Amino acid sequence: MDLSSVPYFSHLNDDELKMINQITTLKKYKKDEIIFFEDEPGKKVYIIKKGKVKVLKMNKNGDQHILNIFEKNDILAEVIVFDRENYPATAIAISDVACYSLNRDNLSQMFLEHPQITIKVMRVISARLRRAQQNIRDLGLKDSQSRLASLLYHLALKHGDKNKSNQISISVLLTQQELANMIGTTRETVSRILKSIEGKNIIKISRKNIIINNIKKLKKLME
């Protein structure tokens, strides 16, 4: 496996990369396949090579609350290396996915031997904490339209494909119910707000995706 293109390992020399190869397995998952379940013993950390993964929580009724969407080079379940607990959420492939799978204990030892890798992973954790804090703030201080605009804006930044007309197509297919769960509102409210924003020509909605016509105007709706 060529791990030199993975940002976490890009600074390592050939001998160090060989060492990581020895503790790494390439695993493939079909669309909708479970990668790991919440509360399962946390034994593996994953780095996405190809595809997209949603990480979510489930309530007692089986309803899903999506926490985040991850793609190529994102790391999954890195927290188990530090707290050695069970998986904090469930990860599901939303396309065909290939992941590098690393044993937790071996990765923990590698962190001790290569602190520069630890620093990179800690930066990822810090960024996610900041985003989680922002989500909590948005839920408490912003109305539904601002929260939905904020979600669409961040999805466009991370999962958007820009065309020659500067339109941004969000490549992650989420239902209106999933969008509603992510911002703490109802599907009906999301449907109404999407139609309202579309009426202002800020976005365009199709069956397959949402296209951002004007990212600056969308950002203003976040305020």
Side-chain angles (χ1 to χ4, degrees), residues 54-69:
K54 62 181 177 181
V55 173
L56 54 88
K57 292 270 194 179
M58 287 188 182
N59 63 22
K60 293 180 181 179
N61 297 324
D63 297 323
Q64 297 182 0
H65 177 78
I66 297 175
L67 301 176
N68 213 334
I69 306 291

Side-chain angles (χ1 to χ4, degrees), residues 123-214:
R123 285 174 180 164
V124 171
I125 295 174
S126 297
R128 291 182 187 173
L129 283 173
R130 287 182 181 274
R131 179 61 182 152
Q133 289 171 342
Q134 183 178 343
N135 289 342
I136 293 170
R137 182 202 64 189
D138 289 350
L139 286 171
L141 300 178
K142 292 186 176 183
D143 60 22
S144 296
Q145 177 175 277
S146 298
R147 297 201 303 271
L148 181 57
S150 179
L151 175 59
L152 294 177
Y153 179 80
H154 288 288
L155 287 173
L157 290 183
K158 184 167 178 63
H159 304 285
D161 298 316
K162 184 181 288 188
N163 62 23
K164 294 180 180 179
S165 301
N166 286 325
Q167 294 175 314
I168 301 174
S169 175
I170 297 176
S171 58
V172 177
L173 182 60
L174 295 171
T175 67
Q176 291 185 1
Q177 185 60 61
E178 288 172 330
L179 292 173
N181 290 343
M182 291 178 79
I183 64 170
T185 189
T186 64
R187 185 196 63 79
E188 291 76 15
T189 298
V190 165
S191 177
R192 173 177 55 79
I193 295 171
L194 286 174
K195 288 179 182 178
S196 174
I197 300 176
E198 185 176 31
K200 298 173 184 176
N201 200 35
I202 297 174
I203 65 172
K204 180 180 179 182
I205 304 170
S206 71
R207 289 185 177 181
K208 292 185 177 181
N209 56 15
I210 296 175
I211 298 171
I212 312 299
N213 293 324
N214 193 315

